Amino acid sequence: DEVALLGRNFAHMRESMATHVQHLKSLDQAKSNFIALAGHELRTPLTIITGFNEMIASGALGSVPENVRETTTLITEQLTGLNRLVQSMLDLTYYEQDLQKLDLERRDARDVVRDAVMGRKEVAEKRHLRMTVDLAHDPLWVMADSVRLIDAVLAIVDNAIRFTADGGAIRVRTRAVENEVHIAIEDTGIGIPQNELKWIFDKIYEVGDVMHHSSGTHHYGSKGFGMGLALCKVIVEKHGGRILVSSALGRGSTFTIVLPKAASGANAPAATPAREGVTV
């Protein structure tokens, strides 16, 4: 009787766990559906607004007073950020549905990192952040879609900028570790609570109070929609790699993109099995 009771309890527990897992899958699918729908619904009005704003700024609709020209410049800046957000939402959806293909070729990871960091040099200077790049002496060959891999690196660099106070430091390093290439982004920012590290790569997850959201992407302490790291993780995994992260509150964080080395004449790497991607 005791063995039978134990067996029934285990069966009930297994059933409860299966139900819970299915519920979590449903929630994740709901997130994906929302992201896809929102991205598509936002694209059309943003395209129309962008087009009319460009027509006004160019003078196609008549002469433009100076104060109106300044306004169109501000609108352009905000529309650029919104269009980038919408594109990230759509990209994430395409990757999840396996509709987005990578154009992989043998590339030196140092060039990818250099291009990515240069894209944020001006932003860092405005915030008085010391951004340094420490590249390996020898080429670090990987099979990569340069545009997408730059997006992945930028997602982490942007986070470092957002959560590092003015006057802080950000360091980007590349190195070879056996048969892997490591791209590490270190910052002296506010850090991430240990209990939240395993969630930061989830869709629509933002560390801290979401009620204090800010659209100022590169302003210190600003918050976004939690899309950047989720997209970064997908892109890296599509390259056959993974992401490691370590962090300490008040001392900063280190994100490391790990990619397999490309052999001479190598073909595209196979995607690695799903992994947690987090090392504390």
Side-chain angles (χ1 to χ4, degrees), residues 104-109 139-144 176 178-181 239 259-269:
L104 297 174
E105 58 181 353
R106 194 165 180 265
R107 292 299 306 270
D108 187 347
L140 300 173
W141 298 110
V142 295
M143 294 300 298
E178 297 181 351
N179 293 322
E180 298 176 331
V181 171
H239 281 81
L259 300 172
K261 275 186 179 179
S264 178
N267 294 320

Side-chain angles (χ1 to χ4, degrees), residues 254-273:
T254 299
F255 286 79
T256 304
I257 296 175
V258 180
L259 300 172
K261 275 186 179 179
S264 178
N267 294 320
T272 56

Side-chain angles (χ1 to χ4, degrees), residues 81-146:
L82 279 173
N83 278 303
R84 185 167 54 243
L85 172 62
V86 170
Q87 189 59 53
S88 294
M89 295 168 71
L90 294 175
D91 284 345
L92 185 57
T93 301
Y94 294 153
Y95 279 122
E96 288 183 334
Q97 297 177 356
D98 204 25
L99 299 176
Q100 185 82 349
K101 302 299 181 183
L102 297 179
D103 183 15
L104 297 174
E105 58 181 353
R106 194 165 180 265
R107 292 299 306 270
D108 187 347
R110 299 178 304 171
D111 295 334
V112 174
V113 170
R114 189 182 295 110
D115 291 343
V117 173
M118 287 300 295
R120 293 294 181 265
K121 182 179 179 182
E122 184 177 348
V123 174
E125 289 176 348
K126 288 181 179 179
R127 292 274 318 281
H128 304 291
L129 297 172
R130 301 184 301 279
M131 184 176 291
T132 58
V133 182
D134 182 9
L135 301 177
H137 293 295
D138 298 322
L140 300 173
W141 298 110
V142 295
M143 294 300 298
D145 183 321
S146 298

Side-chain angles (χ1 to χ4, degrees), residues 224-237:
F225 284 95
M227 300 292 297
L229 289 181
L231 182 58
C232 174
K233 182 175 183 287
V234 172
I235 291 174
V236 171
E237 288 180 347

